[in-house]
Amino acid sequence: MRAMPCAIAPMGQHWQMDAMSFKWIPNALTIARCVFAGLVLWGIWNAELAGQSVAAAGPDVLPDEVLRQNIMQQLWHQFALLGFLSGALTDFLDGYLARRLQAQSRFGVWLDPIADKLLVGAALLGLAMVLKSWFIYLPAAAIIARDVFMTWLRTTPAGKAVVDPSDLAKWKTGFEMAAIIGLMLPLAFAPADLAGDATGSTPLLFTVGAALLVGMLWVAAALSLLTGWRYIRAARGSD
């Protein structure tokens, strides 16, 4: 009866030692999310360069070359989408592993929201660069401006004392992610001529889907401004 605690104790100590040896993983995942943000923007930029090559192709350019550039453009969009999804996955994993390994750190708490904003900001800048529409420019600018301001506010004494006053930020993140992924998917996998049929008109399904996704982005922008305002009020009240 007395031998069992002696057998269990080394196992517990072994688990603690293993957990300590992996405590660097959450911070590494957070840093990786910053890298993925750069890869997202790089992928979309290269896709744009490939698209410009197609647009600038003259009548003397062989059809095979145009097809190759179209394929390269889509591959770069797939690269950007994969980078965004990978970054979003690290957002879940770093928090889970930090709790599981008891590896919370001041560095991780500081960098985690910055990495989130870098990933979203890179995707929004890329989408604005590709879609070239004020329906994208305005909500993207509102979200990015709010995120930059909130990052600064959290460095102030009043901002550090505030806990997010509502769950609206989670809804904002959900709409944001759904809109970004939804807008990136057709760029990555749809045929280049999806937006127009044989008559040159836009299919109804494509139009409705695009309108819904843009609407979700506007909802995310509205929630961004609302949660930012609530945070400012809470910070002023904590002075």
Side-chain angles (χ1 to χ4, degrees):
M1 295 294 293
R2 294 181 181 179
M4 291 189 65
C6 296
I8 295 174
M11 292 177 62
Q13 292 174 0
H14 180 69
W15 161 249
Q16 291 177 359
M17 292 177 63
D18 286 346
M20 290 180 63
S21 64
F22 292 111
K23 285 182 181 291
W24 57 271
I25 293 180
N27 285 344
L29 289 172
T30 306
I31 295 172
R33 188 153 67 257
C34 299
V35 176
F36 281 127
L39 294 178
V40 168
L41 204 53
W42 186 52
I44 294 177
W45 175 258
N46 282 283
E48 276 295 280
L49 292 180
Q52 291 173 9
S53 298
V54 174
D60 297 333
V61 178
L62 296 176
D64 288 346
E65 177 63 20
V66 175
L67 177 61
R68 188 184 73 84
Q69 290 296 332
N70 279 326
I71 292 174
M72 288 303 301
Q73 182 182 25
Q74 196 167 54
L75 286 174
W76 278 115
H77 279 304
Q78 292 172 5
F79 178 87
L81 177 61
L82 180 61
F84 184 81
L85 293 175
S86 300
L89 180 61
T90 65
D91 188 23
F92 164 76
L93 288 177
D94 62 0
Y96 170 78
L97 291 175
R99 293 187 297 271
R100 185 73 175 85
L101 301 173
Q102 297 180 353
Q104 294 89 347
S105 66
R106 293 178 62 184
F107 176 76
V109 171
W110 170 77
L111 185 61
D112 183 72
I114 295 177
D116 294 342
K117 292 169 176 56
L118 285 175
L119 182 66
V120 170
L124 290 175
L125 285 174
L127 287 172
M129 184 170 32
V130 172
L131 300 177
K132 299 178 177 63
S133 169
W134 284 101
F135 288 106
I136 303 297
Y137 294 155
L138 292 178
I143 292 171
I144 293 173
R146 179 264 189 192
D147 286 348
V148 171
F149 176 77
M150 292 296 293
T151 300
W152 168 81
L153 182 62
R154 288 194 175 102
T155 64
T156 64
K160 290 179 180 178
V162 175
V163 178
D164 199 347
S166 72
D167 289 333
L168 287 178
K170 297 179 181 179
W171 284 98
K172 170 248 184 188
T173 302
F175 278 106
E176 228 171 40
M177 291 294 182
I180 290 173
I181 293 172
L183 290 170
M184 293 180 75
L185 274 172
L187 296 172
F189 295 106
D193 59 348
L194 176 65
D197 57 20
T199 64
S201 61
T202 303
L204 179 62
L205 182 62
F206 183 87
T207 302
V208 172
L212 286 175
L213 291 170
V214 173
M216 293 175 68
L217 190 61
W218 278 84
V219 171
L223 290 176
S224 294
L225 297 177
L226 177 59
T227 54
W229 172 246
R230 290 170 66 105
Y231 199 99
I232 293 171
R233 290 183 59 187
R236 292 177 62 183
S238 66
D239 287 342

